[in-house]
Amino acid sequence: MKDMYSVIKAPLITEKATRQKKVDQLAFEVHPRANKIEIRNVVEKVFKVKVKSVQTIRVKGKLRRVGHFLGRRPERKKAIVRLYPGQSIEFFEGV
């Protein structure tokens, strides 16, 4: 990845991600070709926090049917970033 802002696409704000926030874990949607080292470096530089570990998950797109036509939701990659205790990111605080 050349641009560090293209590695992280968006924060994931779901019920499970909100529960994980209590144990210093944050969820992000990331670029499909980003690896754990790139994700760690980008989160530390952009949000100025200390990352303890990174876990990545590939989510396959589900099949969806609209009338006669069969389609598929897009595939994506998620990253669960664990921070050291006492670290936090501001935009997750209001959620």
Side-chain angles (χ1 to χ4, degrees), residues 35-85:
N35 60 32
K36 292 180 182 185
I37 297 167
E38 290 172 338
I39 296 167
R40 172 191 293 259
N41 291 338
V42 168
V43 170
E44 286 180 347
K45 286 180 185 175
V46 172
F47 300 111
K48 296 176 180 53
V49 293
K50 197 77 170 143
V51 175
K52 188 173 185 179
S53 66
V54 177
Q55 295 176 315
T56 58
I57 305 127
R58 286 191 169 271
V59 180
K60 297 261 187 184
K62 292 183 179 180
L63 284 173
R64 290 292 177 214
R65 175 181 222 108
V66 178
H68 177 69
F69 301 101
L70 192 63
R72 185 176 284 277
R73 285 186 179 170
E75 295 182 359
R76 59 193 174 125
K77 187 173 186 178
K78 295 192 304 186
I80 308 298
V81 178
R82 179 173 284 202
L83 303 177
Y84 279 102

Side-chain angles (χ1 to χ4, degrees), residues 1-9 31 34 38 42 46:
M1 301 283 96
K2 297 197 185 221
D3 181 24
M4 69 178 184
Y5 292 103
S6 66
V7 173
I8 295 179
K9 291 183 176 181
H31 192 278
E38 290 172 338
V42 168
V46 172

